[in-house]
Amino acid sequence: MERLEIMGIFGSKEFPGTGSFPHGIHPPGNKFYSAGAQVEVITVPDKVVLPLLQHIGAPCEPVVKPRQTVACGEMVGEGQAFVSASLHTPVAGKVKKIGVVTLPNGRHLPAIEIKTEGEQQPCNELWEEMTSTDWSLSTIPDYSPDEIARLIHAAGIVGLGGAAFPTHVKVMPNDKRLIDSLLVNGCECEPYLTCDYRLMKEAPHAIVAGALLAGRAVSAKEIFICIEDNKPEAIEALELATRNTVVQVAVVRTKYPQGSEKQLVKAVLNLDVPLGGLPSDVGVALSNVGTMAAVARAVIKKGPLTHRIVSVTGGGIVTPKNIFTPIGISMGELIDFCGGLTEDAARIIAGGPMMGFAFSDLTTPVTKGTSGITILTHAETASGEETACVRCGRCVEACPMNLVPTRLAMAARYKNTALARQYNINACFECGSCTYVCPANIKLVQLIRTGKAQVAAAMKR
């Protein structure tokens, strides 16, 4: 198999793939807003609101009652199903009520509200722990794969790249699906967002420790930390942190959606994940860099997942920042921490502009999957009116899954679920590349999302 050698100022690394994948697009990165912003730590909020479902899978069950006093890091919701993750409070305080919140994706979920009281664990202590170089790599062989998976499960860790799949399910030893390679995803191809970039630059040792632990859990023969070539400072930091370890840094080309799991498997390992399949079908496990840092803390420091980095960025925020923040804080508090909205702010998005969801309720809480808040201006959101499809085929050329977005969108518009299934609508992972390139301004990915909901409803009947 032909191997690609990435040469440059960061040394040389080899991997089987070409460093890229077919199709995809090159939208403006716009990472300059926050890429230079060192991670700041926000003060402990007056209250947190913790939705009982922050991941793919079954919701967790509350294990606290109103007026109960809880300590920092205490479990407040238990993930009892196999595909579920427990929930821990990032603050000490008193449980106020179990109400309902609406997340940016439109889901209404029960949530535990905790009013902050008593002595708190300062957020800056947690961040200093994360950025430390002391992660006891020599002790990693002392942990068995089962113990690593158990500690990850106990810490309530889910994928922090946005998909929020419970991590213990990914790393649990499985004799039927052997894993050869672990890919740690640091591509962060979504425009504007820089939380992963800052983590790789400021806390590379925690990422490497987590990668070694996760690789041991799945018995991977090789471990790659994958980074797009537009992040030279993060590449350099990880090259230094991986010295004298088995972890390799794989530099891939900057392209959207390079951070998607199937596309990353193709770019680095030259393997094709089958339609409707998972990377594990071809012997690969993937996880985000932030998830790996959380794994290191869960296993080595015995700390649950209670905080994460959130990018608050875009032309519509006064001072874009990357913020180390407790989960459950309101998004409005993060916006205030950045100086508030500019006069020309027009749209607030949870996540990035390609795959995120617009929302307007600033009391919406940060969840484990909140990688960023992108605030766009009127100029950044301006687009022409929708016209009829001109059958140019650009959406087909852009689709990284080789789908036909226009047919999927029209099937959704006319509620033809049989046609939508025929054209594999559920293979779409809603990257938004089709909408980005459409000259007729048709909201293809939004229609496809609607079509997937129609198919799901039809299958339940």
Side-chain angles (χ1 to χ4, degrees):
M1 182 179 293
E2 183 181 356
R3 298 176 70 86
L4 174 73
E5 186 176 60
I6 299 292
M7 300 293 294
I9 60 174
F10 309 109
S12 62
K13 293 292 181 187
E14 293 185 352
F15 50 86
T18 65
S20 188
F21 61 92
H23 305 287
I25 58 176
H26 296 86
N30 288 327
K31 294 182 183 287
F32 63 88
Y33 284 111
S34 58
Q38 189 171 351
V39 173
E40 295 185 37
V41 178
I42 197 167
T43 54
V44 177
D46 292 336
K47 70 172 185 181
V48 293
V49 178
L50 303 168
L52 288 168
L53 180 60
Q54 303 191 24
H55 53 269
I56 293 174
C60 53
E61 297 295 327
V63 294
V64 293
K65 296 179 180 178
R67 295 184 293 281
Q68 180 175 336
T69 300
V70 293
C72 293
E74 183 175 332
M75 182 193 293
V76 296
E78 183 178 16
Q80 298 176 350
F82 177 62
V83 185
S84 185
S86 297
L87 187 60
H88 304 76
T89 173
V91 299
K94 185 169 288 184
V95 178
K96 297 296 288 182
K97 61 181 179 181
I98 299 177
V100 176
V101 296
T102 302
L103 297 185
N105 61 7
R107 295 195 68 174
H108 305 289
L109 297 167
I112 299 172
E113 179 180 330
I114 299 173
K115 179 175 173 51
T116 304
E117 288 182 2
E119 187 176 351
Q120 305 294 321
Q121 181 176 19
C123 296
N124 58 343
E125 287 185 5
L126 293 176
W127 179 239
E128 288 170 5
E129 181 181 84
M130 192 68 78
T131 55
S132 164
T133 59
D134 181 17
W135 284 96
S136 306
L137 299 189
S138 61
T139 67
I140 288 177
D142 298 338
Y143 297 97
S144 71
D146 285 326
E147 184 180 15
I148 294 170
R150 180 181 60 78
L151 291 170
I152 291 172
H153 189 194
I157 298 175
V158 305
L160 300 185
F165 191 84
T167 304
H168 69 275
V169 179
K170 281 189 175 182
V171 303
M172 191 164 288
N174 187 335
D175 293 336
K176 296 180 180 178
R177 287 188 174 181
L178 300 179
I179 299 298
D180 295 316
S181 307
L182 171 67
L183 301 187
V184 179
N185 190 349
C187 288
E188 198 169 52
C189 60
E190 174 80 67
Y192 289 88
L193 303 184
T194 56
C195 58
D196 285 349
Y197 168 68
R198 293 307 312 188
L199 182 73
M200 290 187 285
K201 184 170 161 50
E202 298 184 44
H205 295 277
I207 296 170
V208 174
L212 288 167
L213 287 162
R216 178 166 175 75
V218 299
S219 301
K221 299 181 180 65
E222 55 186 3
I223 303 171
F224 292 101
I225 299 178
C226 313
I227 315 177
E228 286 185 305
D229 57 10
N230 64 346
K231 302 175 180 65
E233 294 183 19
I235 294 168
E236 185 176 16
L238 281 164
E239 286 281 5
L240 291 172
T242 55
R243 280 184 183 174
N244 303 318
T245 76
V246 298
V247 181
Q248 300 181 69
V249 176
V251 181
V252 296
R253 293 174 187 139
T254 301
K255 188 178 182 182
Y256 182 84
Q258 183 71 265
S260 169
E261 60 181 20
K262 292 182 175 63
Q263 282 60 48
L264 195 57
V265 170
K266 181 66 177 178
V268 177
L269 300 174
N270 199 27
L271 296 174
D272 293 303
V273 179
L275 190 67
L278 298 170
S280 58
D281 293 333
V282 292
V284 182
L286 287 98
S287 202
N288 168 266
V289 288
T291 313
M292 292 297 94
V295 164
R297 182 164 184 269
V299 177
I300 298 175
K301 311 287 186 182
K302 306 295 186 290
L305 176 61
T306 55
H307 292 67
R308 67 156 299 146
I309 303 174
V310 178
S311 296
V312 183
T313 182
I317 189 77
V318 171
T319 308
K321 294 183 177 182
N322 294 290
I323 308 169
F324 187 66
T325 179
I327 292 162
I329 192 174
S330 74
M331 297 204 191
E333 286 174 270
L334 298 190
I335 290 172
D336 290 342
F337 188 68
C338 296
L341 304 176
T342 62
E343 290 185 356
D344 58 346
R347 184 179 299 166
I348 306 174
I349 299 170
M354 299 300 291
M355 298 189 72
F357 293 87
F359 70 102
S360 57
D361 183 358
L362 297 185
T363 66
T364 302
V366 168
T367 65
K368 295 177 182 179
T370 305
S371 53
I373 304 171
T374 305
I375 300 101
L376 304 178
T377 63
H378 288 286
E380 289 172 308
T381 57
S383 62
E385 292 186 5
E386 179 180 322
T387 64
C389 174
V390 296
R391 292 176 171 75
C392 62
R394 292 179 64 182
C395 61
V396 179
E397 293 176 2
C399 180
M401 293 301 294
N402 295 313
L403 301 175
V404 187
T406 48
R407 293 191 178 179
L408 293 173
M410 292 307 106
R413 178 166 283 174
Y414 295 104
K415 301 180 180 178
N416 189 337
T417 56
L419 187 63
R421 292 179 65 185
Q422 179 183 338
Y423 281 98
N424 296 305
I425 193 168
N426 285 328
C428 170
F429 61 91
E430 304 171 17
C431 68
S433 296
C434 53
T435 301
Y436 180 80
V437 300
C438 179
N441 295 313
I442 300 172
K443 306 301 185 217
L444 294 166
V445 72
Q446 289 84 346
L447 284 166
I448 292 172
R449 280 177 182 157
T450 301
K452 291 167 79 171
Q454 293 167 355
V455 168
M459 293 178 70
K460 288 181 180 178
R461 294 188 195 118

